[in-house]
Amino acid sequence: MSAFSLSGQTALVTGANTGIGQAIAAALGRAGATVICAGRSSCAETVGMIPGSREMTLDFADPMAARDVFADEKIDILVNNAGIIRRDDAIDFTEADWDEVMDVNLKAVFFTCQAFGKAALARGTGGKIVNIASLLSFQGGIRVPSYTASKHGVAGITKLLANEWAAKGINVNAIAPGYIETNNTEALRADPVRNNAILERIPAGRWGKADDIGETAVFLSSRAANYIHGAVLNVDGGWLAR
């Protein structure tokens, strides 16, 4: 199983304070990585779960927040998980809600990847980037115009960066989570009608666990994924296969 080991690697996970980000950070730690848990709020709980980890404050309301993070420290793995969502009918959606989501979910992802890539290319040591996309990288959704646009964009820049950097030893891939049991989906799961409708659509017959995403991130960050470039891997219990 050595191909899946992350021993000796340092990983930065954004949005690591809770939910999927926390699960990804913990999984990378279990695989042997030294994990930097980044968030705009405290990641102390996550750090407490991972021996040898530490936290970093990054608020992607400033899309350039990570521009200097990679200059002075060798970071081998970047997981761009931080994201926000705003909901409203398309005819009522505000410019402020559009810009805020696009800044955090897309602009910050690109420029964080850029900063990581500059440092990795200068070192000549390569690296792994895992972006967190969405089912809405492929579907339209309802009442989430900026989120849908941003996640389509994440899939696109993942492929673009893979085209530019694959031959230079940097793997850029993405995970598209399906319906996952997190705080963000608690209301959906508590609604019997919506919960049943979702479960009926999922071939696996269950909601995903945050660890399902975490372990996939370990794979894409490991040597086992060295020949995977520009993939958007659906971890959705078969949702998109229906």
Side-chain angles (χ1 to χ4, degrees):
M1 299 296 290
S2 62
F4 299 92
S5 172
L6 302 180
S7 179
Q9 305 287 296
T10 298
L12 172 67
V13 181
T14 70
N17 57 307
T18 188
I20 288 174
Q22 184 177 77
I24 290 172
L28 295 175
R30 290 194 299 271
T34 298
V35 184
I36 304 168
C37 303
R40 63 180 177 182
S41 58
S42 173
C43 294
E45 180 179 84
T46 308
V47 168
M49 299 165 57
I50 311 167
S53 65
R54 69 181 191 273
E55 64 179 318
M56 174 185 295
T57 300
L58 284 177
D59 184 353
F60 289 114
D62 172 9
M64 307 301 290
R67 60 186 172 274
D68 299 321
V69 165
F70 308 99
D72 299 324
E73 179 176 9
K74 181 177 179 288
I75 296 175
D76 308 282
I77 300 161
L78 167 65
V79 181
N80 283 306
N81 169 74
I84 60 173
I85 192 167
R86 297 290 182 268
R87 301 178 188 275
D88 206 348
D89 292 338
I91 59 170
D92 297 320
F93 210 79
T94 67
E95 183 180 9
D97 281 347
W98 178 274
D99 289 345
E100 186 177 4
V101 171
M102 295 298 282
D103 277 354
V104 174
N105 291 11
L106 186 58
K107 187 174 180 179
V109 169
F110 174 76
F111 283 104
T112 303
C113 287
Q114 182 190 72
F116 176 92
K118 283 181 179 179
L121 292 171
R123 291 195 313 265
T125 55
K128 297 287 202 308
I129 296 175
V130 180
N131 295 321
I132 301 303
S134 169
L135 294 181
L136 296 189
S137 297
F138 308 97
Q139 299 178 317
I142 298 171
R143 303 185 77 246
V144 285
S146 55
Y147 185 86
T148 299
S150 71
K151 292 302 184 178
H152 272 68
V154 167
I157 64 171
T158 296
K159 296 169 187 177
L160 174 137
L161 294 174
N163 289 339
E164 292 197 20
W165 293 346
K168 299 175 181 179
I170 301 176
N171 296 69
V172 188
N173 294 292
I175 299 171
Y179 284 89
I180 308 297
E181 291 181 357
T182 66
N183 292 338
N184 288 341
T185 61
E186 186 174 359
L188 284 177
R189 288 181 283 114
D191 182 332
V193 175
R194 291 287 286 125
N195 183 61
N196 289 339
I198 289 166
L199 286 174
E200 286 174 359
R201 166 72 187 264
I202 301 173
R206 68 170 178 88
W207 286 69
K209 307 288 188 184
D211 280 345
D212 292 324
I213 309 303
E215 301 299 346
T216 303
V218 170
F219 165 60
L220 289 176
S221 300
S222 73
R223 182 165 55 86
N226 276 359
Y227 199 57
I228 301 176
H229 296 275
V232 183
L233 182 54
N234 310 325
V235 184
D236 63 358
W239 176 275
L240 288 177
R242 288 292 290 268

